[in-house]
Amino acid sequence: MSTARARALANLALVKYFGKRDLALNLPAAGSLSLTLEPLATTTEIEFSSRFKKDEISLNGVPANGPFAERVSRFLDIVRSIASSKEHARVVTENAFPTAAGLASSASGFAALAVAATRALDLTLTSDELSTLARRGSGSAARSIPGGIAVWQAGELPDGTDSFARSIAEPEAWDLRVVVGVTDPGPKAIGSTHAMEKTRLTSPYYDQWISSARADLEDAIRAVHKRDFPLLGEITERSALAMHAAALAARPGIVFWNGATVDAFHCIRNLRNDGTEVYFTCDAGPQPKALCTADAEDTVVAALDKLAGITKIILCRLGAGACPINLV
Ligand code: PMV
């Protein structure tokens, strides 16, 4: 086979990854925990052929050049070296949600590409190996290979072969909901790798952030196993705030939020004070995300919808891991 197609979902970290122990291999300084989110999907088709003189990449119907295309080609070089192939590829990839706006399109993108490219080159990889491979494209992509609730262990080996994500709960196991408030669909002001490195090198809070992330991961895994939603929610909020605190304290400080992001945080806390079980989180961008159970979803949507700075709301639930799609 030289052509294959795959679909992968974005994921939302409840215990955040923010800081690398190895920059080239995308090895995290601490483990993280995430939800794989339906319907935030990327679908990717790839064909390897000696007809292609270079990799040809299209993103959402537009030919891609520059840093994005170079990043995809560098990732394909890794897959080619595993398969001992020299063929270039044509890649057609579509995101069903805003690209590069803090909605983890690189996670679903590299997870879909890892599955499609290995299949097209007839490589048979385990889920752990696919996660390890996807991590090379974008760290958080490791967590878009498994479905449901995923834990990405930091690992200890210098080559990163023990740093992959596994599912600790299937999508049907817990009916969690995520309400994404889009405040700004444009591309991110600062890329996550750059922000992580600036924070690691200059933030006086970086070491504390990493030790709190390690403790939060242990607590969050326990909360998932016990299906303890208030505990998981509390950890979610404190992990996001601690990550942003470390980034805010970098020199110069990194501010991912806009006014509407902060309005949403207050709105979510007010809902909670009034008895609705909902918690917020936010990544390396300005989109606030609300974590709640199914029965609270309508109340959360109604409240966020009233905020002036929220231009769009996307409703998500737990989804399946990355998988190949048969070509017809
Ligand atoms: O995969 P990256 O390098 O884009 O990392 C993204 C990290 C955060 O989204 C900021 C947090 C996380 O754990 O997803």
Side-chain angles (χ1 to χ4, degrees):
M1 194 192 303
S2 62
T3 304
R5 193 185 293 164
R7 178 179 192 264
L9 299 172
N11 68 76
L12 172 69
L14 304 187
V15 177
K16 303 292 184 195
Y17 145 61
F18 201 75
K20 306 187 196 231
R21 70 178 162 91
D22 184 306
L23 191 56
L25 293 175
N26 276 341
L27 293 174
S32 51
L33 180 145
S34 62
L35 310 181
T36 304
L37 293 183
E38 190 72 63
L40 304 183
T42 298
T43 306
T44 297
E45 186 171 316
I46 186 164
E47 179 184 5
F48 287 93
S49 168
S50 53
R51 299 191 326 271
F52 304 132
K53 297 285 163 275
K54 61 182 189 60
D55 294 327
E56 293 171 18
I57 294 134
S58 111
L59 172 63
N60 296 333
V62 181
N65 297 299
F68 173 77
E70 285 160 22
R71 196 170 162 195
V72 170
S73 271
R74 275 200 304 278
F75 181 78
L76 292 178
D77 287 342
I78 298 171
V79 186
R80 280 187 280 255
S81 78
I82 302 173
S84 303
S85 164
K86 292 206 171 356
E87 288 182 346
H88 287 110
R90 177 153 65 205
V91 179
V92 178
T93 189
E94 312 273 344
N95 288 333
F97 58 95
T99 298
L103 290 181
S105 57
S106 65
S108 51
F110 281 104
L113 188 59
V115 173
T118 51
R119 198 173 161 92
L121 290 176
D122 291 320
L123 293 168
T124 310
L125 269 61
T126 63
S127 173
D128 291 352
E129 289 166 340
L130 278 171
S131 174
T132 306
L133 174 64
R135 190 202 76 225
R136 301 288 302 276
S138 181
S140 57
R143 297 187 312 239
S144 278
I145 295 292
I149 304 182
V151 171
W152 173 21
Q153 294 292 353
E156 286 170 2
L157 298 174
D159 68 358
T161 47
D162 59 348
S163 185
F164 48 79
R166 279 187 184 162
S167 177
I168 59 163
E170 294 305 313
E172 307 74 35
W174 202 359
D175 194 5
L176 297 176
R177 303 296 168 92
V178 172
V179 181
V180 178
V182 177
T183 64
D184 179 357
K188 299 190 235 192
I190 173 167
S192 53
T193 294
H194 182 64
M196 285 180 201
E197 278 302 281
K198 263 263 164 283
T199 303
R200 182 176 71 83
L201 294 169
T202 68
S203 174
Y205 301 159
Y206 179 76
D207 290 344
Q208 287 89 336
W209 148 247
I210 293 300
S211 31
S212 75
R214 289 184 181 133
D216 282 346
L217 179 61
E218 295 312 311
D219 291 348
I221 292 171
R222 266 194 293 276
V224 170
H225 287 316
K226 288 193 297 184
R227 304 283 189 272
D228 185 336
F229 183 70
L231 179 59
L232 186 64
E234 264 172 46
I235 299 164
T236 297
E237 251 187 48
R238 75 180 183 227
S239 176
L241 288 171
M243 176 195 111
H244 284 275
L248 285 163
R251 297 173 187 180
I254 301 163
V255 187
F256 290 112
W257 305 334
N258 57 33
T261 321
V262 180
D263 286 345
F265 294 171
H266 289 296
C267 168
I268 289 164
R269 286 232 166 135
N270 288 340
L271 284 173
R272 198 151 82 238
N273 288 339
D274 292 342
T276 304
E277 285 281 14
V278 54
Y279 299 83
F280 66 77
T281 185
C282 185
D283 292 292
Q287 330 299 359
K289 288 133 193 171
L291 173 71
C292 61
T293 47
D295 53 321
E297 189 182 63
D298 289 349
T299 311
V300 173
V301 171
L304 288 179
D305 207 28
K306 286 202 192 92
L307 296 182
I310 301 234
T311 54
K312 189 175 170 186
I313 283 178
I314 307 174
L315 302 183
C316 305
R317 59 178 69 206
L318 291 182
C323 62
I325 303 173
N326 287 334
L327 296 160
V328 276

